[in-house]
Amino acid sequence: MSGFDETLLGEADETVRVRFVVNGRKVACEVAPRETLVDCLREKLELTGTHAGCEMGACGACLIQLDGRAVHSCLIFAVQADGARIDTIEGLSESGVIADLQAEFHRRNALQCGFCTPGMLVNAEELLSLVAQPSREQIRDALSGNYCRCTGYEAIIDAIYAVAKARSGGVTT
Ligand code: FES
Ligand code: FES
């Protein structure tokens, strides 16, 4: 169609090259400037264990570790993570670092559909790295940003509490 100023069209199509270390692997990819990290991880890197729920920082389904800290991957653009170390639920699982949490979630039926579970595990690992023996109340507070719509929270809290105790050399029940 003539008569339109099309000089701005190219801007929307632009991509930016970013580089990350994802689960120990160095990767480079092209992303749109406004592409979220969760979309990049799921769609470009096929790391679909990180879930996109609310996409506004409220549900915790998209939690990953960025340079060792838990962050919402729906709230940052992929370009903002350029140069960072990213660990997703796949990497945390493969390394065995959360094996005890996974086993305890399984043992206590702390999941049903599993949609919230990767975020729960990333958050639980973050909590236990900051507080060796959290109280049930502290665990409940820490999970206040993680929505579970089918399991309920008691079994999840029980599982994290038991792992905290075991990691500190205590006995689990
Ligand atoms: S998808 Fe990121 S907090 Fe819900
Ligand atoms: S296990 Fe289904 S949302 Fe938590």
Side-chain angles (χ1 to χ4, degrees):
M1 214 181 289
S2 63
F4 285 84
D5 177 1
E6 297 186 344
T7 54
L8 296 176
L9 284 179
E11 204 171 295
D13 296 327
E14 266 177 26
T15 58
V16 179
R17 182 160 300 179
V18 290
R19 293 175 177 82
F20 320 112
V21 180
V22 183
N23 299 331
R25 187 167 67 97
K26 291 180 178 173
V27 294
C29 56
E30 299 284 337
V31 297
R34 293 180 62 80
E35 186 171 331
T36 59
L37 184 57
V38 65
D39 285 346
C40 175
L41 291 170
R42 289 178 55 81
E43 291 162 21
K44 300 249 165 53
L45 304 180
E46 298 182 348
L47 293 167
T48 53
T50 300
H51 292 155
C54 66
E55 299 190 63
M56 54 186 286
C59 76
C62 66
L63 282 169
I64 55 145
Q65 286 185 357
L66 185 76
D67 289 331
R69 291 264 72 96
V71 301
H72 294 95
S73 59
C74 72
L75 289 185
I76 59 173
F77 296 123
V79 292
Q80 292 176 287
D82 186 28
R85 177 168 59 87
I86 295 168
D87 293 288
T88 68
I89 192 66
E90 289 89 349
L92 296 173
S93 298
E94 280 160 21
S95 71
V97 72
I98 57 167
D100 51 358
L101 281 165
Q102 290 172 304
E104 207 57 36
F105 269 56
H106 185 257
R107 191 165 85 86
R108 293 173 185 266
N109 295 320
L111 68 154
Q112 288 185 51
C113 77
F115 187 83
C116 70
T117 311
M120 290 282 184
L121 291 167
V122 171
N123 202 4
E125 182 60 25
E126 171 87 351
L127 173 64
L128 298 185
S129 73
L130 297 172
V131 185
Q133 280 192 282
S135 65
R136 293 179 63 83
E137 209 42 49
Q138 285 174 303
I139 296 171
R140 192 179 293 280
D141 276 356
L143 294 182
S144 62
N146 287 76
Y147 292 0
C148 178
R149 305 192 73 155
C150 57
T151 299
Y153 294 89
E154 287 309 309
I156 295 169
I157 292 165
D158 288 346
I160 298 169
Y161 189 74
V163 170
K165 223 168 165 185
R167 285 190 186 182
S168 303
V171 180
T172 62
T173 54

